[in-house]
Amino acid sequence: MEKDGAAQDNPNSQQKKLIPPYMKAISGSFGGIVEASCLQPIDVIKTRLQLDRSGNYKGILHCGTTISQTEGVRALWKGLTPFATHLTLKYALRMGSNAMLQSAFKDPETGKVSNHGRFLSGFGAGVLEALVIVTPFEVVKIKLQQQRGLSPDLLKYKGPVHCAQTIIREEGLRGLWAGASPTVMRNGTNQAAMFSAKNAYDVLLWKKHEQDGKVLQPWQSMISGFLAGTAGPICTGPFDVVKTRLMAQSREGGELKYKGMIHAIRTIYAEEGLAALWKGLLPRLMRIPPGQAIMWAVADQIIGLYERRYLQITPL
């Protein structure tokens, strides 16, 4: 009886009922499916702009219009299958691994995670997703997106599986991990900032703390997610451009133009100027913050439902 009374008197007792990492993974995967379906055209435009060295596209609208007119509207969803699969698996791994890493930084008494621990957990989750999922899927996606033309018979890659098989045959298995270094830097930094910022905005804007039983409205999650997703693209623009260039190049016709991440940065800067390292920034800002808004709106609802139904956590 004394133990029951102590548990009732201790407001932190609810917070010790931890949400299992697999639930965080499930919430992220559902969010990824919705995000991919909504935002694929912006990703196609971003990729085309980053690969455009001759100035064929005058901007986002011109690029999208040109693709639609010359290749059909469906071309704006090129690479959707690997993109949706990649986002679903990426968010599952990101959310699940971040939850597992955060558990190592939790205070055993309060169950809270320090800002330092949250940052390191996010960085670790970003590095893991970059190596395991992001790099090979983005290599295939970018190869598909850079193809131009209306006739499938004239395209080198017939689909995601054929594209992956062709890359392995021509470049070896390592070809699927082209651009791994800038991808690790981009994703690690992005996720460290994103998880830290999302928690900070939840607390600042809505007085929402982790596992306090409070479920944000979808529009509240979208605002926090949108704001959390803005810093990463600005800070990691050069890594994203270099990643795209390294993934898009092939050995056909001789030596590779870019030898690695540092060489690519130097070459792009020397040939195209400093601004070229932030090519595609606007479409990234049009895609990533809204993508985070959509993903968190879905994920927060799933996690909130789980807290209420299975952990019986009620607002403190």
Side-chain angles (χ1 to χ4, degrees):
M1 291 295 293
E2 292 181 0
K3 289 183 179 180
D4 292 340
Q8 292 175 359
D9 293 337
N10 182 10
N12 289 327
S13 61
Q14 284 189 353
Q15 298 182 17
K16 292 185 179 180
K17 298 177 180 178
L18 301 179
I19 299 172
Y22 76 84
M23 273 309 303
K24 293 288 186 75
I26 290 172
S27 71
S29 65
F30 276 99
I33 293 172
V34 178
E35 177 188 341
S37 301
C38 295
L39 301 178
Q40 172 69 359
I42 296 176
D43 192 73
V44 171
I45 292 171
K46 181 213 76 169
T47 299
R48 289 291 183 89
L49 286 173
Q50 289 182 336
L51 295 175
D52 180 26
R53 299 179 196 164
S54 55
N56 292 325
Y57 302 122
K58 309 306 179 185
I60 295 173
L61 291 178
H62 180 259
C63 181
T65 302
T66 303
I67 293 171
S68 299
Q69 291 176 345
T70 59
E71 304 172 51
V73 176
R74 291 181 61 184
L76 290 171
W77 275 266
K78 274 185 176 180
L80 177 60
T81 300
F83 186 52
T85 304
H86 145 248
L87 273 188
T88 302
L89 295 176
K90 178 178 74 173
Y91 281 137
L93 179 60
R94 176 190 299 176
M95 300 288 279
S97 62
N98 181 71
M100 293 181 68
L101 290 169
Q102 280 194 4
S103 65
F105 293 98
K106 283 184 182 293
D107 186 293
E109 296 296 326
T110 64
K112 294 182 180 180
V113 182
S114 66
N115 292 333
H116 177 72
R118 199 179 306 279
F119 186 89
L120 290 178
S121 297
F123 189 86
V127 170
L128 186 61
E129 72 178 18
L131 292 175
V132 176
I133 293 175
V134 176
T135 302
F137 273 94
E138 288 212 0
V139 167
V140 172
K141 175 179 70 73
I142 287 171
K143 295 285 190 184
L144 290 171
Q145 288 178 346
Q146 73 177 140
Q147 295 187 123
R148 303 180 185 181
L150 290 169
S151 175
D153 295 334
L154 299 178
L155 298 178
K156 178 177 180 178
Y157 306 114
K158 311 306 180 185
V161 176
H162 179 259
C163 180
Q165 292 173 337
T166 303
I167 293 170
I168 293 173
R169 184 175 64 252
E170 294 181 352
E171 306 175 42
L173 190 61
R174 292 181 60 184
L176 289 174
W177 272 266
S181 295
T183 307
V184 164
M185 293 301 299
R186 183 198 67 172
N187 282 60
T189 305
N190 269 342
Q191 301 337 311
M194 188 271 293
F195 279 110
S196 299
K198 174 60 167 61
N199 180 75
Y201 283 122
D202 282 349
V203 174
L204 179 65
L205 297 176
W206 323 117
K207 310 302 181 187
K208 159 68 180 169
H209 298 267
E210 286 188 344
Q211 294 193 220
D212 62 1
K214 180 178 180 180
V215 182
L216 296 179
Q217 293 295 320
W219 65 269
Q220 293 175 314
S221 296
M222 292 185 78
I223 291 175
S224 293
F226 185 94
L227 293 173
T230 56
I234 297 173
C235 297
T236 62
F239 294 128
D240 193 62
V241 171
V242 168
K243 169 201 72 76
T244 302
R245 295 284 181 94
L246 290 174
M247 289 179 175
Q249 67 180 355
S250 65
R251 295 185 180 275
E252 291 182 359
E255 292 294 320
L256 296 175
K257 179 178 177 66
Y258 305 115
K259 311 303 181 184
M261 181 175 68
I262 302 300
H263 179 259
I265 291 175
R266 289 175 175 172
T267 303
I268 294 169
Y269 173 73
E271 294 181 353
E272 304 172 53
L274 182 64
L277 290 170
W278 274 269
K279 271 190 174 181
L281 176 61
L282 186 55
R284 280 191 82 204
L285 289 173
M286 291 176 64
R287 198 202 74 72
I288 293 177
Q292 290 302 300
I294 293 169
M295 192 281 292
W296 282 110
V298 175
D300 280 351
Q301 292 301 306
I302 294 174
I303 292 299
L305 179 64
Y306 183 87
E307 286 181 347
R308 294 284 184 86
R309 180 166 296 184
Y310 296 100
L311 299 184
Q312 285 81 48
I313 298 179
T314 55
L316 296 175

